[in-house]
Amino acid sequence: CAMFGHMNMSQIYAELRPEAKQHAPMVSLAACTGTLCLYLLVGAVGYAAFGRTAMPDVVAQIALHCGESADIAFLHSLLASFVVLKTPLLILPLRSLTLQVLDPELKPSELPQVHHFLLTLSLLVFVYLAAVALPSLDRLLEILGALFVVPLCFIVPARLSWTLEVPRPSLKCVTLAVFGTTASVLSLAAVLIL
């Protein structure tokens, strides 16, 4: 999943054989370029079909437009599988972080399974209740995207590269950091003004 794949990249890179590491930038570039092309294609097709009348929930809009059919049921099943399959990528790090905040000396591998189950269930319930309690989830996600996702995608990698790479790629790091900061500020302004 493009949205969460970045969390695993450092571990994957660390496990590569030395001769394969030299090809990692090209693989990353190809993956990002392919993802960008796919996003642009899907976005262009969506706007070509619906124009400015596009609603936040495109699947619901297609169902309203075309009626409930086998295609719509398939789209719903794909969306449900995306939500279900990405949950471990969100909950497992959140569970580990919660355990570390509660007791830094605690080793998660030594906890009984029932404690893991109860903590995971508690986190899922809390997330569900927070989502239900929020009056405008789409507005909150826009603000969070501007404040956290954009910096996570641009500023954090620039800082890591600044610290870890020898020789230091100063121009690349500064460019990424400036772009990330600018995109974050402009995104936040667009969310708050529009």
Side-chain angles (χ1 to χ4, degrees):
C1 167
M3 196 161 113
F4 298 106
H6 65 275
M7 294 184 333
N8 305 323
M9 271 315 294
S10 59
Q11 184 66 31
I12 292 170
Y13 183 79
E15 293 176 5
L16 288 175
R17 284 178 275 149
E19 61 272 9
K21 285 185 180 184
Q22 65 184 344
H23 301 294
M26 289 308 295
V27 171
S28 180
L29 178 64
C32 290
T33 303
T35 302
L36 176 66
C37 291
L38 184 62
Y39 283 175
L40 289 173
L41 177 66
V42 169
V45 169
Y47 279 108
F50 296 108
R52 292 201 175 266
T53 62
M55 296 167 37
D57 188 346
V58 176
V59 176
Q61 186 174 1
I62 293 171
L64 284 173
H65 187 263
C66 301
E68 291 290 337
S69 64
D71 295 338
I72 300 303
F74 179 67
L75 281 175
H76 281 292
S77 67
L78 286 177
L79 187 59
S81 70
F82 172 74
V83 171
V84 169
L85 294 174
K86 78 172 183 178
T87 300
L89 296 173
L90 297 170
I91 292 296
L92 294 178
L94 181 59
R95 185 178 68 193
S96 297
L97 182 63
T98 304
L99 287 172
Q100 185 155 12
V101 167
L102 293 175
D103 186 1
E105 301 298 319
L106 182 70
K107 293 184 179 175
S109 60
E110 295 175 358
L111 270 177
Q113 288 290 29
V114 70
H115 287 120
H116 283 289
F117 174 76
L118 291 174
L119 179 58
T120 303
L121 184 63
S122 301
L123 291 170
L124 286 171
V125 167
F126 178 75
V127 168
Y128 174 77
L129 292 175
V132 169
L134 293 171
S136 179
L137 182 60
D138 57 338
R139 175 65 101 194
L140 176 70
L141 291 176
E142 290 172 349
I143 292 170
L144 290 175
L147 289 177
F148 299 108
V149 175
V150 173
L152 182 65
C153 291
F154 295 102
I155 298 171
V156 171
R159 178 66 176 113
L160 288 173
S161 181
W162 183 274
T163 304
L164 299 175
E165 287 189 53
V166 177
R168 179 178 290 157
S170 301
L171 179 63
K172 182 176 26 172
C173 295
V174 170
T175 303
L176 271 175
V178 168
F179 178 81
T181 304
T182 305
S184 184
V185 169
L186 291 176
S187 298
L188 184 61
V191 167
L192 296 177
I193 294 170
L194 301 177

